[in-house]
Amino acid sequence: MSNLFLRTLREAPSDAEVPSHQLLVRAGYIRRAAPGGFSWLPLGWIVLRNVEQIVREEMDAAGFQEVHFPALLPREPYEATGRYEDYGDNLFRLQDRHGNDFLLAPTHEEMFTLLVKDIVSSYKGLPLSIYQIQTKYRDEARPRAGLLRGREFVMKDSYSFDIDDDAFMKSYRAHRDAYVKTFDRLGLPVVIVSAMSGAMGGSASEEFLAPSEVGEDSYVRCTNCDYAANVEAVRVPGPDPVPFDDTRPARVVDTPGTPTIQTLVDHLNDHADFAHPDGRAWTAADTMKNVVVKLRHPDGSTEPLAVGVPGDREVDLKRLGAQVEPAEVEPFDEADFAKNEALVKGYIGPGALGTANPSGIRLLVDPRIAEGSRWVTGADASGRHVIDLTAGRDFTADGVIEAAEVRSGDACPECGGDLEIARGIEMGHIFELGRKYSEALGLQVQNESGQLVTPTMGSYGIGVSRAVAALAEANHDEFGLIWPREVAPADVHLVIAGKEGGPQRPAAEQLAAEMEAAGLRVLFDDREGVSPGVRFKDAELIGVPTIVVVGRGIADGVVEVKDRRSGNRDDVPVGDVVTRLSTD
């Protein structure tokens, strides 16, 4: 460590909000270079390479072949698939000196497809799975959480090419199995959940989430069966349609001063004239909330969209965003309301919404707003609501959308049991691409009958640099990092604890040489003029799995061996240390 390019910090930087960001900076693994971009110091680079190597070994073991593409790519392939526009502002675009358009790759589907098109012409070249580990770029609007959400990051992306959909499923299962083994080796617990495919297309889709309170992804899991899904992918089981022949007719009533769901419910319960038909109190679940947002499409055009949900639910903007990709959701502001006189804030109802109604604004509703269901909702006039408005009789939506918030206790769509919600960090994503890219880019091969067919593709990603942060999130305490051994920057952190000129330094130097000779990776704190207390704190902050302290016990022929994770300490004869550590 006297020669190591390293500086540890006692305090976390002010912009570091999550533990992984704080500790990776404090322990001297990374330094901020720009918003969303980080420089890797020697210890951090070792950990990153260790993670890369585990990923690479598991991909190779599964029979996948490694390739490598440039990060600077031409515009044309991405234009052919529509993604040059679909990515919107998240894509880094640039021009060379001749005015030719290029981009910094966010993912490489197009390039993988074109490479296979150039090389493979027959079914005999399939199945094929190829991968790369490479830096990606996305112009995140708000980079945050250190390595968890950056503009530049390292990713393993692989793609499978199969002659048909049945063959694809074999490739999909092979990747799924390889991912399970990869995360097991990394020492990173993950939950496999159903997911959306996003701007990259696809159908069958699963994410590997590392449970974490700082994760950006919310997911649900059933307490009764093995169902698990990203919140964005949860499908709400809507009620069956019910007849409405005997339902009371809708009636518009005065409800002054009730622009919110709670004030509306209170008003209804305070007036006997508005008694619930079932004789019970009104609740927010009896009301229908109509939320208007604005969609901004990749070409810059905008359109309003109304989302109807039960009044006891909020619109989940992440769920909504996943349903409308590649468009982005924006607020419907005062200027927008001024342009749409049919919309009365606080009292918007289906009467003004829908492509066939005065506003012309498309109305999509939650599956719970099924045919025959009755609602209290806005009457499109200030201080007025309509009671017993019945879906299918009094209004018809333009479609259904899964955008209402999901809650703990909601019914599982598989078994009806209770769902519980947790948060996680997306570590991997596998999904079927189908023929979207192979068709767009003209990839065809001859089948056994000599006919030209379009291969089915699959996409499989692992966040390599994100894994470093996720491991830090899952492996730390109040003193610092605690790395799993396979990814740690060293096997042993050797600390001298004694006065200069004492027997500790020569004994530690000899022990370091013996450990190295035995194949152990040693981080040796041989710094002069540094107190034992500082050395101990740095050892715990840096997080190497085993700490060996050469201190006063060396006079009796023993050193202290400490397990960083458990905190257990043992005095071990100096002659037995290497053997013990080599067999741990």
Side-chain angles (χ1 to χ4, degrees):
M1 288 181 68
S2 61
N3 298 318
L4 182 63
F5 186 48
L6 172 73
R7 180 187 176 193
T8 58
L9 304 175
R10 292 295 155 240
E11 300 293 332
S14 59
D15 64 335
E17 298 176 350
V18 300
S20 59
H21 189 186
Q22 295 167 355
L23 291 171
L24 288 170
V25 173
R26 285 188 54 212
Y29 285 82
I30 61 173
R31 282 291 188 275
R32 180 182 183 272
F38 291 86
S39 301
W40 295 84
L41 279 70
L43 292 182
W45 189 243
I46 292 171
V47 173
L48 179 65
R49 285 186 299 169
N50 289 342
V51 172
E52 280 187 8
Q53 190 57 29
I54 290 172
V55 173
R56 178 175 286 111
E57 288 172 2
E58 292 302 326
M59 297 304 106
D60 291 347
F64 312 148
Q65 301 176 60
E66 187 172 8
V67 297
H68 195 79
F69 291 96
L72 182 65
L73 301 177
R75 169 179 178 163
E76 289 76 15
Y78 286 76
E79 206 161 42
T81 61
R83 291 208 303 163
Y84 192 77
E85 295 297 333
D86 287 352
Y87 257 107
D89 291 338
N90 287 330
L91 192 66
F92 279 105
R93 297 172 172 85
L94 65 156
Q95 289 185 332
D96 67 10
R97 67 182 66 193
H98 305 295
N100 298 310
D101 290 323
F102 286 83
L103 59 96
L104 294 178
T107 58
H108 279 77
E109 281 86 349
E110 287 83 354
M111 305 311 295
F112 274 88
T113 305
L114 288 173
L115 184 63
V116 173
K117 178 182 178 181
D118 186 39
I119 302 295
V120 179
S121 59
S122 165
Y123 72 95
K124 295 179 182 179
L126 305 179
L128 174 67
S129 289
I130 50 180
Y131 76 95
Q132 68 168 345
I133 299 175
Q134 203 232 35
T135 303
K136 311 288 187 186
Y137 301 88
R138 292 180 193 167
D139 191 1
E140 292 284 351
R142 292 174 297 278
R144 55 198 177 277
L147 300 177
L148 292 176
R149 177 64 67 180
R151 288 175 168 162
E152 177 182 301
F153 52 94
V154 179
M155 177 178 168
K156 189 285 302 178
D157 51 331
S158 57
Y159 298 87
S160 61
F161 299 82
D162 289 279
I163 197 69
D164 56 32
D165 292 351
D166 289 339
F168 158 76
M169 287 310 301
K170 294 181 181 178
S171 296
Y172 186 90
R173 287 191 290 270
H175 277 86
R176 195 180 197 272
D177 292 343
Y179 274 38
V180 170
K181 293 176 182 177
T182 298
F183 293 120
D184 282 347
R185 279 191 62 189
L186 288 173
L188 189 61
V190 293
V191 178
I192 304 175
V193 303
S194 299
M196 305 285 286
S197 297
M200 290 176 285
S203 51
S205 180
E206 291 179 296
E207 288 177 348
F208 293 72
L209 301 181
S212 172
E213 293 181 359
V214 305
E216 291 190 332
D217 285 69
S218 295
Y219 67 96
V220 299
R221 50 194 174 197
C222 181
T223 58
N224 187 58
C225 71
D226 60 359
Y227 174 79
N230 190 303
V231 163
E232 297 167 12
V234 173
R235 293 294 170 261
V236 174
D240 293 329
V242 296
F244 45 74
D245 296 340
D246 299 327
T247 302
R248 297 188 310 185
R251 57 185 175 131
V252 176
V253 298
D254 290 327
T255 54
T258 58
T260 68
I261 295 296
Q262 189 57 55
T263 56
L264 171 61
V265 171
D266 291 342
H267 184 87
L268 294 175
N269 287 323
D270 287 343
H271 292 75
D273 292 344
F274 304 145
H276 193 284
D278 296 336
R280 62 172 175 80
W282 293 98
T283 70
D286 298 315
T287 69
M288 177 180 169
K289 179 189 304 181
N290 301 286
V291 178
V292 185
V293 298
K294 190 163 55 180
L295 301 184
R296 182 171 296 278
H297 297 284
D299 63 1
S301 64
T302 62
E303 67 163 318
L305 174 70
V307 180
V309 298
D312 63 336
R313 306 260 171 175
E314 299 296 333
V315 172
D316 184 326
L317 293 180
K318 284 196 72 174
R319 269 169 63 77
L320 175 59
Q323 303 294 325
V324 301
E325 281 191 351
E328 295 183 352
V329 179
E330 297 181 352
F332 198 79
D333 57 26
E334 293 296 335
D336 296 310
F337 274 103
K339 297 174 186 175
N340 292 269
E341 295 181 358
L343 302 181
V344 181
K345 285 185 68 175
Y347 300 91
I348 300 173
L353 300 172
T355 53
N357 287 329
S359 71
I361 295 175
R362 190 160 50 117
L363 171 63
L364 304 179
V365 298
D366 185 83
R368 300 174 187 87
I369 304 175
E371 183 175 321
S373 60
R374 296 174 298 174
W375 303 92
V376 180
T377 190
D380 304 304
S382 182
R384 308 200 82 192
H385 282 85
V386 57
I387 297 177
D388 287 323
L389 193 76
T390 302
R393 183 191 69 183
D394 303 318
F395 73 96
T396 301
D398 296 308
V400 176
I401 191 168
E402 300 273 5
E405 64 177 336
V406 178
R407 298 178 185 155
S408 292
D410 282 350
C412 170
E414 297 290 337
C415 74
D418 289 343
L419 295 177
E420 61 180 12
I421 296 181
R423 300 195 67 81
I425 300 167
E426 182 187 336
M427 292 310 311
H429 192 180
I430 62 176
F431 55 95
E432 179 183 0
L433 285 176
R435 297 174 180 82
K436 173 179 178 178
Y437 293 92
S438 46
E439 285 180 348
L441 296 168
L443 168 59
Q444 290 188 310
V445 299
Q446 284 188 332
N447 64 14
E448 291 186 63
S449 302
Q451 298 173 317
L452 285 175
V453 296
T454 303
T456 299
M457 292 175 57
S459 175
Y460 317 88
I462 289 179
V464 175
S465 53
R466 180 179 287 186
V468 175
L471 284 163
E473 289 291 342
N475 296 276
H476 71 270
D477 59 17
E478 66 270 31
F479 304 112
L481 297 161
I482 311 171
W483 294 110
R485 192 168 298 276
E486 272 212 80
V487 301
D491 297 309
V492 181
H493 191 133
L494 181 61
V495 177
I496 299 173
K499 295 180 179 179
E500 294 298 331
Q504 288 85 3
R505 179 172 291 275
E509 290 172 346
Q510 181 177 345
L511 189 56
E514 292 172 358
M515 290 187 205
E516 290 276 358
L520 295 170
R521 299 168 301 145
V522 183
L523 180 61
F524 181 20
D525 193 346
D526 62 339
R527 294 175 294 176
E528 296 183 357
V530 177
S531 71
V534 170
R535 287 176 175 161
F536 294 149
K537 287 183 177 180
D538 280 349
E540 292 187 317
L541 178 61
I542 290 169
V544 171
T546 302
I547 301 171
V548 175
V549 180
V550 181
R552 287 178 296 181
I554 196 66
D556 300 319
V558 297
V559 297
E560 180 185 272
V561 176
K562 177 183 177 180
D563 180 76
R564 175 67 184 89
R565 187 172 299 277
S566 68
N568 293 335
R569 306 166 186 261
D570 293 315
D571 287 337
V572 179
V574 68
D576 297 339
V577 171
V578 174
T579 300
R580 171 169 168 168
L581 297 181
S582 298
T583 56
D584 280 352

